Amino acid sequence: MPLVVFCGLPGSGKSRRAEELREALAAEGRAVYVVDDAAVLGAEDATVYSDSAREKALRGALRAAVERRLSRHDVVILDSLNYIKGFRYELYCLARAARTPLCLVYCVRPGDLNRGPRVDTEENRSLNVSVSWQPRAEEGGRPLAAGTRVLGEPQAADSVVNGRAQADVPKELERLETKAPDLPALVTPEFEKSAKHVSSAFYPPELLEALTLRFEAPDSRNRWDRPLFILVGLEEPLPLAEIRAALFENRAPPPHQSTQSQPLASGSFLHQLDHVTSQVLAGLMEAQKSAVPGDVLKLPGITEHLRFTRPLTMAELSRLRRQFISYTKMHPNNENLPQLANMFLQYLSQSLH
């Protein structure tokens, strides 16, 4: 039933956290579905984020996959960058329409909470291009405070490195990337194995920098970004208790007009609306011929009445009739058919006085 949206830059640990959450919920006997870029694309292809048209198609495919999986009994985890707040709002509307809770998990690399990853151009000639992070004991020769974790800077590669074209670089990079990193003890071997397809994805330095500039960080003041859980690195434990409470104990956001389905209307609704309002106008024009100011105009079969204060013209009544029809067409309801005449006469009474 609930929807969990993971958000963050590449290499922030989203997929590993998503797998950790999936295992924890599955151990409780819950049906959990994970929707990620690889499931939609069929293969890891990070360059999709460098093409606006392909990226737009990817977001549409992710949204459709989430919408298909949302139900009253299953948990859906969306593992993607989700860096556009407009897209996160669309997901919020999906959850709201399905009347299911939603929470957002924002994964941040250590040292990147207030700044995005920086491309270190001083080491362009080295081939160690990595988007993973490792805690270090000191930064710039200065010891860090206890508990501080710093991101290993991603390094860029020139178009030609040691006489080889950049097209040859990813093969060597892949071998470097697939080496087992020095992960904290918190990450189990099974957990590390489940995230192999993520560590092998190659994000060029210029793409990382572009994603950092385009990234719209979630804000808990926005209703579509809360409840918000911020996880810095992989050493910080996953707040399973808080996530469970947000998913299974909180009420789903109430649906509003933009996410509610319109009530079904019969095929003859507009015809009956036009016929009833025309009869009311004809009855009023006939009744006012023998009325004096102060009289009450009553029509047969209608409980509502209209107080006659001045002569009414057909042009004025027709204008009000068009307004009433336009409003009623926006909210069709078969239950209102027997009361259309009373509703129209009440509308005329309020508009004319």
PDB file of all heavy atoms in Angstrom, residues 40-67:
ATOM      1  N   VAL A  40      13.363  -0.415 -15.564  1.00  0.00           N
ATOM      2  CA  VAL A  40      12.642   0.249 -16.645  1.00  0.00           C
ATOM      3  C   VAL A  40      13.450   0.249 -17.937  1.00  0.00           C
ATOM      4  O   VAL A  40      12.920  -0.023 -19.021  1.00  0.00           O
ATOM      5  CB  VAL A  40      12.289   1.692 -16.233  1.00  0.00           C
ATOM      6  CG1 VAL A  40      11.683   2.459 -17.397  1.00  0.00           C
ATOM      7  CG2 VAL A  40      11.323   1.678 -15.059  1.00  0.00           C
ATOM      8  N   LEU A  41      14.759   0.529 -17.823  1.00  0.00           N
ATOM      9  CA  LEU A  41      15.599   0.606 -19.013  1.00  0.00           C
ATOM     10  C   LEU A  41      16.002  -0.766 -19.535  1.00  0.00           C
ATOM     11  O   LEU A  41      16.320  -0.911 -20.710  1.00  0.00           O
ATOM     12  CB  LEU A  41      16.859   1.418 -18.708  1.00  0.00           C
ATOM     13  CG  LEU A  41      16.656   2.911 -18.401  1.00  0.00           C
ATOM     14  CD1 LEU A  41      17.973   3.525 -17.975  1.00  0.00           C
ATOM     15  CD2 LEU A  41      16.099   3.630 -19.606  1.00  0.00           C
ATOM     16  N   GLY A  42      16.043  -1.757 -18.647  1.00  0.00           N
ATOM     17  CA  GLY A  42      16.492  -3.078 -19.041  1.00  0.00           C
ATOM     18  C   GLY A  42      17.979  -3.279 -18.850  1.00  0.00           C
ATOM     19  O   GLY A  42      18.453  -4.392 -18.789  1.00  0.00           O
ATOM     20  N   ALA A  43      18.745  -2.191 -18.730  1.00  0.00           N
ATOM     21  CA  ALA A  43      20.185  -2.254 -18.483  1.00  0.00           C
ATOM     22  C   ALA A  43      20.610  -0.906 -17.923  1.00  0.00           C
ATOM     23  O   ALA A  43      19.992   0.116 -18.203  1.00  0.00           O
ATOM     24  CB  ALA A  43      20.960  -2.575 -19.752  1.00  0.00           C
ATOM     25  N   GLU A  44      21.683  -0.933 -17.126  1.00  0.00           N
ATOM     26  CA  GLU A  44      22.179   0.311 -16.555  1.00  0.00           C
ATOM     27  C   GLU A  44      22.706   1.218 -17.662  1.00  0.00           C
ATOM     28  O   GLU A  44      23.551   0.804 -18.469  1.00  0.00           O
ATOM     29  CB  GLU A  44      23.280   0.034 -15.541  1.00  0.00           C
ATOM     30  CG  GLU A  44      22.771  -0.368 -14.180  1.00  0.00           C
ATOM     31  CD  GLU A  44      22.020   0.765 -13.504  1.00  0.00           C
ATOM     32  OE1 GLU A  44      22.444   1.927 -13.593  1.00  0.00           O
ATOM     33  OE2 GLU A  44      20.999   0.479 -12.881  1.00  0.00           O
ATOM     34  N   ASP A  45      22.215   2.406 -17.749  1.00  0.00           N
ATOM     35  CA  ASP A  45      22.654   3.360 -18.767  1.00  0.00           C
ATOM     36  C   ASP A  45      22.554   4.745 -18.164  1.00  0.00           C
ATOM     37  O   ASP A  45      21.523   5.410 -18.246  1.00  0.00           O
ATOM     38  CB  ASP A  45      21.789   3.241 -20.021  1.00  0.00           C
ATOM     39  CG  ASP A  45      22.297   4.121 -21.155  1.00  0.00           C
ATOM     40  OD1 ASP A  45      23.390   4.696 -20.991  1.00  0.00           O
ATOM     41  OD2 ASP A  45      21.601   4.237 -22.166  1.00  0.00           O
ATOM     42  N   ALA A  46      23.627   5.177 -17.518  1.00  0.00           N
ATOM     43  CA  ALA A  46      23.600   6.456 -16.816  1.00  0.00           C
ATOM     44  C   ALA A  46      23.514   7.634 -17.762  1.00  0.00           C
ATOM     45  O   ALA A  46      23.089   8.720 -17.372  1.00  0.00           O
ATOM     46  CB  ALA A  46      24.847   6.591 -15.938  1.00  0.00           C
ATOM     47  N   THR A  47      23.900   7.449 -19.030  1.00  0.00           N
ATOM     48  CA  THR A  47      23.900   8.564 -19.963  1.00  0.00           C
ATOM     49  C   THR A  47      22.492   9.026 -20.322  1.00  0.00           C
ATOM     50  O   THR A  47      22.344  10.026 -21.017  1.00  0.00           O
ATOM     51  CB  THR A  47      24.639   8.179 -21.256  1.00  0.00           C
ATOM     52  OG1 THR A  47      24.003   7.034 -21.835  1.00  0.00           O
ATOM     53  CG2 THR A  47      26.096   7.839 -20.955  1.00  0.00           C
ATOM     54  N   VAL A  48      21.468   8.310 -19.859  1.00  0.00           N
ATOM     55  CA  VAL A  48      20.106   8.750 -20.131  1.00  0.00           C
ATOM     56  C   VAL A  48      19.845  10.115 -19.510  1.00  0.00           C
ATOM     57  O   VAL A  48      19.028  10.901 -20.006  1.00  0.00           O
ATOM     58  CB  VAL A  48      19.095   7.705 -19.607  1.00  0.00           C
ATOM     59  CG1 VAL A  48      19.107   7.659 -18.091  1.00  0.00           C
ATOM     60  CG2 VAL A  48      17.690   7.998 -20.111  1.00  0.00           C
ATOM     61  N   TYR A  49      20.588  10.448 -18.437  1.00  0.00           N
ATOM     62  CA  TYR A  49      20.391  11.731 -17.763  1.00  0.00           C
ATOM     63  C   TYR A  49      21.095  12.879 -18.478  1.00  0.00           C
ATOM     64  O   TYR A  49      20.970  14.025 -18.048  1.00  0.00           O
ATOM     65  CB  TYR A  49      20.881  11.646 -16.317  1.00  0.00           C
ATOM     66  CG  TYR A  49      20.005  10.763 -15.467  1.00  0.00           C
ATOM     67  CD1 TYR A  49      20.377   9.458 -15.165  1.00  0.00           C
ATOM     68  CD2 TYR A  49      18.789  11.226 -14.967  1.00  0.00           C
ATOM     69  CE1 TYR A  49      19.568   8.643 -14.387  1.00  0.00           C
ATOM     70  CE2 TYR A  49      17.975  10.413 -14.198  1.00  0.00           C
ATOM     71  CZ  TYR A  49      18.371   9.129 -13.916  1.00  0.00           C
ATOM     72  OH  TYR A  49      17.556   8.317 -13.149  1.00  0.00           O
ATOM     73  N   SER A  50      21.836  12.580 -19.535  1.00  0.00           N
ATOM     74  CA  SER A  50      22.451  13.644 -20.321  1.00  0.00           C
ATOM     75  C   SER A  50      21.603  14.025 -21.518  1.00  0.00           C
ATOM     76  O   SER A  50      21.949  14.951 -22.249  1.00  0.00           O
ATOM     77  CB  SER A  50      23.840  13.200 -20.797  1.00  0.00           C
ATOM     78  OG  SER A  50      23.738  12.042 -21.618  1.00  0.00           O
ATOM     79  N   ASP A  51      20.491  13.336 -21.741  1.00  0.00           N
ATOM     80  CA  ASP A  51      19.582  13.606 -22.851  1.00  0.00           C
ATOM     81  C   ASP A  51      18.211  13.913 -22.263  1.00  0.00           C
ATOM     82  O   ASP A  51      17.585  13.048 -21.645  1.00  0.00           O
ATOM     83  CB  ASP A  51      19.518  12.399 -23.786  1.00  0.00           C
ATOM     84  CG  ASP A  51      18.704  12.685 -25.045  1.00  0.00           C
ATOM     85  OD1 ASP A  51      17.947  13.677 -25.052  1.00  0.00           O
ATOM     86  OD2 ASP A  51      18.820  11.919 -26.012  1.00  0.00           O
ATOM     87  N   SER A  52      17.733  15.146 -22.436  1.00  0.00           N
ATOM     88  CA  SER A  52      16.479  15.559 -21.807  1.00  0.00           C
ATOM     89  C   SER A  52      15.296  14.740 -22.303  1.00  0.00           C
ATOM     90  O   SER A  52      14.394  14.398 -21.527  1.00  0.00           O
ATOM     91  CB  SER A  52      16.232  17.049 -22.056  1.00  0.00           C
ATOM     92  OG  SER A  52      16.156  17.316 -23.453  1.00  0.00           O
ATOM     93  N   ALA A  53      15.292  14.392 -23.597  1.00  0.00           N
ATOM     94  CA  ALA A  53      14.169  13.628 -24.138  1.00  0.00           C
ATOM     95  C   ALA A  53      14.131  12.222 -23.551  1.00  0.00           C
ATOM     96  O   ALA A  53      13.072  11.719 -23.154  1.00  0.00           O
ATOM     97  CB  ALA A  53      14.267  13.576 -25.663  1.00  0.00           C
ATOM     98  N   ARG A  54      15.286  11.562 -23.493  1.00  0.00           N
ATOM     99  CA  ARG A  54      15.340  10.218 -22.919  1.00  0.00           C
ATOM    100  C   ARG A  54      15.041  10.236 -21.429  1.00  0.00           C
ATOM    101  O   ARG A  54      14.382   9.335 -20.903  1.00  0.00           O
ATOM    102  CB  ARG A  54      16.713   9.601 -23.181  1.00  0.00           C
ATOM    103  CG  ARG A  54      17.027   9.334 -24.649  1.00  0.00           C
ATOM    104  CD  ARG A  54      18.466   8.922 -24.808  1.00  0.00           C
ATOM    105  NE  ARG A  54      18.760   7.696 -24.062  1.00  0.00           N
ATOM    106  CZ  ARG A  54      19.991   7.324 -23.715  1.00  0.00           C
ATOM    107  NH1 ARG A  54      21.031   8.099 -24.039  1.00  0.00           N
ATOM    108  NH2 ARG A  54      20.194   6.215 -23.054  1.00  0.00           N
ATOM    109  N   GLU A  55      15.513  11.264 -20.758  1.00  0.00           N
ATOM    110  CA  GLU A  55      15.254  11.353 -19.314  1.00  0.00           C
ATOM    111  C   GLU A  55      13.766  11.569 -19.048  1.00  0.00           C
ATOM    112  O   GLU A  55      13.197  11.006 -18.099  1.00  0.00           O
ATOM    113  CB  GLU A  55      16.067  12.487 -18.703  1.00  0.00           C
ATOM    114  CG  GLU A  55      15.899  12.601 -17.197  1.00  0.00           C
ATOM    115  CD  GLU A  55      16.653  13.773 -16.622  1.00  0.00           C
ATOM    116  OE1 GLU A  55      17.395  14.433 -17.372  1.00  0.00           O
ATOM    117  OE2 GLU A  55      16.499  14.033 -15.417  1.00  0.00           O
ATOM    118  N   LYS A  56      13.122  12.380 -19.876  1.00  0.00           N
ATOM    119  CA  LYS A  56      11.682  12.586 -19.724  1.00  0.00           C
ATOM    120  C   LYS A  56      10.915  11.288 -19.938  1.00  0.00           C
ATOM    121  O   LYS A  56       9.964  10.979 -19.211  1.00  0.00           O
ATOM    122  CB  LYS A  56      11.208  13.654 -20.716  1.00  0.00           C
ATOM    123  CG  LYS A  56       9.739  14.016 -20.577  1.00  0.00           C
ATOM    124  CD  LYS A  56       9.356  15.123 -21.544  1.00  0.00           C
ATOM    125  CE  LYS A  56       7.877  15.484 -21.412  1.00  0.00           C
ATOM    126  NZ  LYS A  56       7.490  16.567 -22.356  1.00  0.00           N
ATOM    127  N   ALA A  57      11.335  10.512 -20.937  1.00  0.00           N
ATOM    128  CA  ALA A  57      10.697   9.217 -21.164  1.00  0.00           C
ATOM    129  C   ALA A  57      10.940   8.275 -19.991  1.00  0.00           C
ATOM    130  O   ALA A  57      10.052   7.497 -19.609  1.00  0.00           O
ATOM    131  CB  ALA A  57      11.224   8.608 -22.463  1.00  0.00           C
ATOM    132  N   LEU A  58      12.138   8.336 -19.406  1.00  0.00           N
ATOM    133  CA  LEU A  58      12.440   7.500 -18.245  1.00  0.00           C
ATOM    134  C   LEU A  58      11.541   7.846 -17.068  1.00  0.00           C
ATOM    135  O   LEU A  58      11.005   6.963 -16.395  1.00  0.00           O
ATOM    136  CB  LEU A  58      13.913   7.655 -17.864  1.00  0.00           C
ATOM    137  CG  LEU A  58      14.342   6.992 -16.553  1.00  0.00           C
ATOM    138  CD1 LEU A  58      14.154   5.485 -16.625  1.00  0.00           C
ATOM    139  CD2 LEU A  58      15.784   7.342 -16.220  1.00  0.00           C
ATOM    140  N   ARG A  59      11.365   9.151 -16.815  1.00  0.00           N
ATOM    141  CA  ARG A  59      10.495   9.556 -15.701  1.00  0.00           C
ATOM    142  C   ARG A  59       9.062   9.087 -15.946  1.00  0.00           C
ATOM    143  O   ARG A  59       8.372   8.650 -15.015  1.00  0.00           O
ATOM    144  CB  ARG A  59      10.539  11.073 -15.521  1.00  0.00           C
ATOM    145  CG  ARG A  59      11.846  11.589 -14.963  1.00  0.00           C
ATOM    146  CD  ARG A  59      11.674  13.003 -14.417  1.00  0.00           C
ATOM    147  NE  ARG A  59      11.210  13.929 -15.424  1.00  0.00           N
ATOM    148  CZ  ARG A  59      12.003  14.648 -16.208  1.00  0.00           C
ATOM    149  NH1 ARG A  59      13.320  14.529 -16.087  1.00  0.00           N
ATOM    150  NH2 ARG A  59      11.519  15.486 -17.101  1.00  0.00           N
ATOM    151  N   GLY A  60       8.599   9.191 -17.183  1.00  0.00           N
ATOM    152  CA  GLY A  60       7.257   8.712 -17.482  1.00  0.00           C
ATOM    153  C   GLY A  60       7.120   7.214 -17.258  1.00  0.00           C
ATOM    154  O   GLY A  60       6.099   6.741 -16.738  1.00  0.00           O
ATOM    155  N   ALA A  61       8.158   6.451 -17.641  1.00  0.00           N
ATOM    156  CA  ALA A  61       8.120   5.002 -17.442  1.00  0.00           C
ATOM    157  C   ALA A  61       8.161   4.649 -15.954  1.00  0.00           C
ATOM    158  O   ALA A  61       7.472   3.731 -15.500  1.00  0.00           O
ATOM    159  CB  ALA A  61       9.282   4.347 -18.180  1.00  0.00           C
ATOM    160  N   LEU A  62       8.966   5.376 -15.184  1.00  0.00           N
ATOM    161  CA  LEU A  62       9.015   5.138 -13.742  1.00  0.00           C
ATOM    162  C   LEU A  62       7.672   5.450 -13.094  1.00  0.00           C
ATOM    163  O   LEU A  62       7.186   4.694 -12.238  1.00  0.00           O
ATOM    164  CB  LEU A  62      10.116   5.998 -13.105  1.00  0.00           C
ATOM    165  CG  LEU A  62      11.563   5.615 -13.426  1.00  0.00           C
ATOM    166  CD1 LEU A  62      12.519   6.675 -12.881  1.00  0.00           C
ATOM    167  CD2 LEU A  62      11.904   4.249 -12.850  1.00  0.00           C
ATOM    168  N   ARG A  63       7.081   6.552 -13.495  1.00  0.00           N
ATOM    169  CA  ARG A  63       5.780   6.931 -12.930  1.00  0.00           C
ATOM    170  C   ARG A  63       4.727   5.883 -13.263  1.00  0.00           C
ATOM    171  O   ARG A  63       3.918   5.501 -12.408  1.00  0.00           O
ATOM    172  CB  ARG A  63       5.364   8.296 -13.475  1.00  0.00           C
ATOM    173  CG  ARG A  63       4.074   8.845 -12.888  1.00  0.00           C
ATOM    174  CD  ARG A  63       3.708  10.172 -13.555  1.00  0.00           C
ATOM    175  NE  ARG A  63       2.542  10.769 -12.940  1.00  0.00           N
ATOM    176  CZ  ARG A  63       1.286  10.461 -13.228  1.00  0.00           C
ATOM    177  NH1 ARG A  63       1.042   9.516 -14.123  1.00  0.00           N
ATOM    178  NH2 ARG A  63       0.285  11.067 -12.622  1.00  0.00           N
ATOM    179  N   ALA A  64       4.725   5.389 -14.500  1.00  0.00           N
ATOM    180  CA  ALA A  64       3.747   4.376 -14.900  1.00  0.00           C
ATOM    181  C   ALA A  64       3.966   3.073 -14.139  1.00  0.00           C
ATOM    182  O   ALA A  64       3.002   2.412 -13.725  1.00  0.00           O
ATOM    183  CB  ALA A  64       3.829   4.137 -16.409  1.00  0.00           C
ATOM    184  N   ALA A  65       5.230   2.692 -13.940  1.00  0.00           N
ATOM    185  CA  ALA A  65       5.521   1.457 -13.204  1.00  0.00           C
ATOM    186  C   ALA A  65       5.057   1.567 -11.758  1.00  0.00           C
ATOM    187  O   ALA A  65       4.516   0.611 -11.189  1.00  0.00           O
ATOM    188  CB  ALA A  65       7.015   1.156 -13.270  1.00  0.00           C
ATOM    189  N   VAL A  66       5.272   2.737 -11.146  1.00  0.00           N
ATOM    190  CA  VAL A  66       4.811   2.938  -9.769  1.00  0.00           C
ATOM    191  C   VAL A  66       3.288   2.897  -9.704  1.00  0.00           C
ATOM    192  O   VAL A  66       2.697   2.279  -8.806  1.00  0.00           O
ATOM    193  CB  VAL A  66       5.354   4.269  -9.222  1.00  0.00           C
ATOM    194  CG1 VAL A  66       4.680   4.618  -7.901  1.00  0.00           C
ATOM    195  CG2 VAL A  66       6.854   4.187  -9.036  1.00  0.00           C
ATOM    196  N   GLU A  67       2.637   3.538 -10.656  1.00  0.00           N
ATOM    197  CA  GLU A  67       1.174   3.570 -10.654  1.00  0.00           C
ATOM    198  C   GLU A  67       0.584   2.173 -10.810  1.00  0.00           C
ATOM    199  O   GLU A  67      -0.447   1.856 -10.214  1.00  0.00           O
ATOM    200  CB  GLU A  67       0.683   4.480 -11.774  1.00  0.00           C
ATOM    201  CG  GLU A  67      -0.805   4.771 -11.743  1.00  0.00           C
ATOM    202  CD  GLU A  67      -1.220   5.804 -12.761  1.00  0.00           C
ATOM    203  OE1 GLU A  67      -0.375   6.176 -13.604  1.00  0.00           O
ATOM    204  OE2 GLU A  67      -2.376   6.257 -12.716  1.00  0.00           O
TER     205      GLU A  67
END
